[in-house]
Amino acid sequence: MFRQERRLGFARIGFIEFEGEKIRTPTLIDFTEKPKLLKIMDFGKAPTVLKEIDESRFEILKSKDENFIIATGLSTLNARELVEYIYNLRKSSYKPLYAVAMATPKNIPLLYYMGVDLFDNILAIVKAYQGIYMTEFDELDADKVRDVVCNCPSCQNGDFSEKGLAKHNTFVMKRVLSMAIRDDLRNFVEAWVKFDPNLTAMLRFFDKLSNNCYPRFSKSKVVMTTEHSFNRPEVRYFLRRALDCYNPKGKALILLPCSARKPYLKSRTHSIVRSYIGNISKRGFEEIVISSPLVVPRVFELTYPAMNYDVAVSGDWSLDEIEFVSDWLCKFVEKGKFELIVGHVAGGYKKVVERVSDKLGLDVVWTVEKEVTDVDSLKRLKEVVEKSNFEGFDLYESIFEHMANYQFDTSFYVEKVKGRYPNLEFYAGKERIARIDTNYGCLDIDLPLAKTLIEEKKFCVEIDEFTPKGTIFAVGVKSADERIKPNDVVVFYNSKIFGVGRALMCGEEMLENDGKAVDVKKVGSW
Ligand SMILES: [Zn+2]
């Protein structure tokens, strides 16, 4: 009945099929048009919130719908209760979730982000009969609306009757919903909720609940402009996972500021520094790049979201940022038994390193006079580097090892690295085994590594006996690794063939949900 095609984090894109019709989701059920969907829905005889008051009675009276989760009476819940309620409903099943009489232009993007698939225009109609003209963020007295900048038929015809208003209010909601269907939904939601303290609080509550279905890699850029960015699922996952996997080989460390251009190594600042000190991993130096709110060891700079994010590089740091980033930097620094730590940083970045030095009781060699790219500062850095004598390592091999561990929880043998940074390709013997996928910020693997992952039972999807082309649907999946998240590079196999693809849903979802499970990229036979 419901077929999922894609995930945008917690939100889904798909369609509902019934009586020979296809309805794309997310969708807004328009009550002014005698919606057909309603005919097949069981709303139950009691609002969902009765559960809190009298659970046994609720069990008798609730919606017993087999195809939808229908949540009614949600508007009586406060922000925290609402978030927890929707979260638990979403977790309980992959069926389409309908929040009845809940949607407004203001809350649609957040509700969609939290996993609601179906909305309606009941409030839009109710408000119209109260003489309210809705805009994206406001509810105005229709009699006082003078400057109409809306291009819906009602506004264009000057029809502000109750019916006309209902159509206008619905039009605004539909427009907002269609705007929210975008790869960088999270950025959109962060911006949208800023207009409403209640919605802002809801996003904060929602971020605290763990969710397993959030992608680890993505094509969309992470824009970090609000305090919510610290708690973004991508940011939290990256910092924890990178810390777990960080295994520095060098005995010395240089701390550097971030750059607007990614990867950092291709930026002007990092290129200038490199032109003075060369490839310093050969001299046994690790590098950690300080950003806000990220801390990025050089070996993870091609990993999402370090590879693809935007933040104001103003050098102006709030106390919260200094505290947050220095806490994480402490953890990364402690993972290396560094004999020498060089702080090639200024301004806010220097404040972060000073906090780290205080907290851990470390001696830091400071090399910056005024600016990171001053000739004097660079000469001083060069002196420090040239005086040292540590055992070197290969940066590109280290990047590969770290990314393989981060992504697949394993290590692969690599013999040779080819290509031009950041488009690196990794070889074992004459065979290419993987390359950097700069779009998603991850490794893309070839068939030899797919075999290894199948042997190790990591990120595998076992499928029925068919040779897949294009897409593997969830109905054809026999088993799937629970670690798989949407956008993960996965391997699939049956007794005849095996291959590499990109997951379109979570591993556990593949066994219960209907819809597109894996996008097929490469197929080989045993
Ligand atoms: Zn209008």
Side-chain angles (χ1 to χ4, degrees):
M1 167 120 215
F2 173 66
R3 282 184 200 279
Q4 182 178 312
E5 298 204 307
R6 275 183 69 201
R7 270 189 170 275
L8 301 171
F10 310 107
R12 297 113 48 95
I13 294 175
F15 58 88
I16 295 164
E17 236 173 348
F18 80 106
E19 291 176 1
E21 270 191 63
K22 268 188 184 183
I23 295 175
R24 298 212 61 85
T25 69
T27 193
L28 187 118
I29 301 172
D30 189 342
F31 275 69
T32 60
E33 289 178 348
K34 296 206 177 79
K36 283 191 194 158
L37 258 186
L38 294 186
K39 284 195 294 185
I40 55 164
M41 282 181 175
D42 169 15
F43 284 76
K45 294 192 168 55
T48 318
V49 285
L50 178 66
K51 194 177 176 206
E52 310 300 317
I53 304 162
D54 186 341
E55 183 147 11
S56 59
R57 194 156 297 176
F58 175 72
E59 287 303 316
I60 301 165
L61 299 175
K62 71 178 181 185
S63 156
K64 308 254 185 340
D65 202 294
E66 284 181 0
N67 300 309
F68 301 92
I69 314 170
I70 296 174
T72 45
L74 296 180
S75 52
T76 53
L77 302 174
N78 69 30
R80 184 189 293 267
E81 290 165 345
L82 178 60
V83 168
E84 283 172 358
Y85 201 80
I86 291 179
Y87 174 75
N88 287 326
L89 286 178
R90 182 72 289 161
K91 234 178 35 173
S92 70
S93 157
Y94 294 109
K95 287 188 277 191
L97 171 56
Y98 174 19
V100 180
M102 188 66 211
T104 64
K106 251 198 303 199
N107 70 18
I108 280 184
L110 179 62
L111 291 175
Y112 177 49
Y113 177 74
M114 296 198 304
V116 176
D117 305 286
L118 302 170
F119 307 88
D120 61 40
N121 61 343
I122 291 179
L123 290 183
I125 296 168
V126 171
K127 300 276 178 192
Y129 282 81
Q130 293 168 350
I132 290 171
Y133 178 94
M134 292 171 123
T135 70
E136 276 76 358
F137 302 108
D138 295 306
E139 295 185 354
L140 310 172
D141 183 343
D143 294 336
K144 292 181 183 146
V145 174
R146 292 282 172 271
D147 303 318
V148 173
V149 286
C150 171
N151 55 4
C152 82
S154 299
C155 293
Q156 292 303 309
N157 298 327
D159 177 7
F160 295 118
S161 66
E162 283 151 349
K163 275 190 180 156
L165 274 178
K167 285 205 171 114
H168 159 81
N169 290 349
T170 305
F171 181 85
V172 175
M173 301 228 285
K174 284 185 178 167
R175 187 170 56 201
V176 173
L177 180 58
S178 68
M179 280 196 290
I181 306 168
R182 49 194 291 150
D183 279 328
D184 65 341
L185 171 63
R186 170 72 193 205
N187 296 336
F188 184 76
V189 168
E190 279 190 21
W192 204 262
V193 300
K194 278 184 115 181
F195 285 90
D196 186 308
N198 200 43
L199 295 174
T200 305
M202 280 172 63
L203 179 59
R204 202 174 304 134
F205 294 141
F206 189 69
D207 276 341
K208 288 198 178 129
L209 302 168
S210 71
N211 189 301
N212 307 326
C213 253
Y214 210 79
R216 308 189 296 155
F217 308 100
S218 175
K219 276 193 291 194
S220 72
K221 191 175 254 191
V222 177
V223 181
M224 301 200 249
T225 46
T226 72
E227 73 280 13
H228 291 298
S229 310
F230 289 32
N231 286 317
R232 282 179 75 127
E234 298 98 329
V235 171
R236 282 190 315 203
Y237 181 83
F238 174 82
L239 288 169
R240 280 193 206 132
R241 183 74 188 149
L243 181 67
D244 275 350
C245 300
Y246 188 41
N247 181 23
K249 294 190 170 67
K251 286 282 163 250
L253 171 67
I254 298 183
L255 297 165
L256 293 162
C258 65
S259 57
R261 179 159 179 199
K262 316 285 177 319
Y264 307 123
L265 208 45
K266 298 294 275 183
S267 72
R268 189 178 158 271
T269 309
H270 285 234
S271 303
I272 295 174
V273 172
R274 278 274 161 138
S275 71
Y276 273 76
I277 57 176
N279 181 356
I280 46 170
S281 38
K282 294 274 179 238
R283 290 174 167 271
F285 278 82
E286 295 282 343
E287 296 156 278
I288 296 181
V289 180
I290 300 162
S291 185
S292 176
L294 292 180
V295 172
V296 186
R298 178 76 78 203
V299 288
F300 286 118
E301 79 168 27
L302 302 181
T303 303
Y304 180 82
M307 179 66 197
N308 200 4
Y309 74 98
D310 252 353
V311 66
V313 186
S314 64
D316 209 19
W317 290 61
S318 74
L319 289 175
D320 282 350
E321 283 177 292
I322 292 175
E323 212 43 44
F324 182 90
V325 176
S326 65
D327 272 351
W328 278 102
L329 184 54
C330 278
K331 292 176 189 155
F332 279 98
V333 170
E334 278 183 308
K335 281 212 100 173
K337 305 268 177 286
F338 298 116
E339 292 164 27
L340 171 66
I341 298 178
V342 183
H344 194 70
V345 283
Y349 299 99
K350 188 171 180 186
K351 284 187 193 147
V352 171
V353 181
E354 281 169 348
R355 283 292 287 142
V356 172
S357 148
D358 287 348
K359 284 182 191 172
L360 300 180
L362 299 173
D363 287 328
V364 174
V365 179
W366 303 105
T367 44
V368 173
E369 228 11 73
K370 279 192 206 120
E371 301 269 341
V372 174
T373 47
D374 274 344
V375 176
D376 288 345
S377 308
L378 289 164
K379 278 184 180 159
R380 197 185 291 189
L381 176 65
K382 191 177 178 185
E383 261 171 47
V384 174
V385 169
E386 283 179 350
K387 261 202 302 199
S388 67
N389 185 21
F390 298 102
E391 198 184 326
F393 62 93
D394 186 277
L395 176 63
Y396 293 169
E397 279 177 26
S398 187
I399 286 177
F400 177 73
E401 283 162 25
H402 278 88
M403 288 180 83
N405 192 7
Y406 183 105
Q407 191 173 342
F408 298 112
D409 215 359
T410 193
S411 57
F412 302 117
Y413 172 69
V414 63
E415 210 170 351
K416 205 174 197 172
V417 185
K418 293 184 186 173
R420 185 177 210 162
Y421 196 83
N423 298 304
L424 304 176
E425 301 194 353
F426 305 95
Y427 285 78
K430 283 199 173 115
E431 276 184 314
R432 193 183 83 167
I433 55 170
R435 66 175 188 96
I436 302 278
D437 179 342
T438 52
N439 285 323
Y440 280 89
C442 67
L443 287 176
D444 175 28
I445 58 167
D446 292 296
L447 294 175
L449 288 195
K451 273 188 195 164
T452 314
L453 286 175
I454 293 166
E455 279 159 21
E456 293 183 6
K457 296 196 179 355
K458 284 173 175 166
F459 294 87
C460 291
V461 179
E462 188 187 357
I463 59 169
D464 288 329
E465 297 299 324
F466 63 95
T467 302
K469 290 186 192 85
T471 306
I472 296 170
F473 287 89
V475 284
V477 173
K478 283 170 84 175
S479 70
D481 190 336
E482 285 187 357
R483 284 173 286 195
I484 293 171
K485 307 276 180 275
N487 289 352
D488 269 347
V489 173
V490 296
V491 292
F492 53 85
Y493 68 96
N494 58 29
S495 71
K496 293 191 187 71
I497 58 94
F498 69 104
V500 179
R502 186 174 302 283
L504 297 168
M505 51 172 73
C506 307
E508 47 194 40
E509 212 178 351
M510 290 178 193
L511 303 179
E512 291 173 37
N513 208 344
D514 208 352
K516 293 182 177 176
V518 179
D519 203 3
V520 175
K521 302 285 184 200
K522 296 159 197 168
V523 186
S525 48
W526 291 110

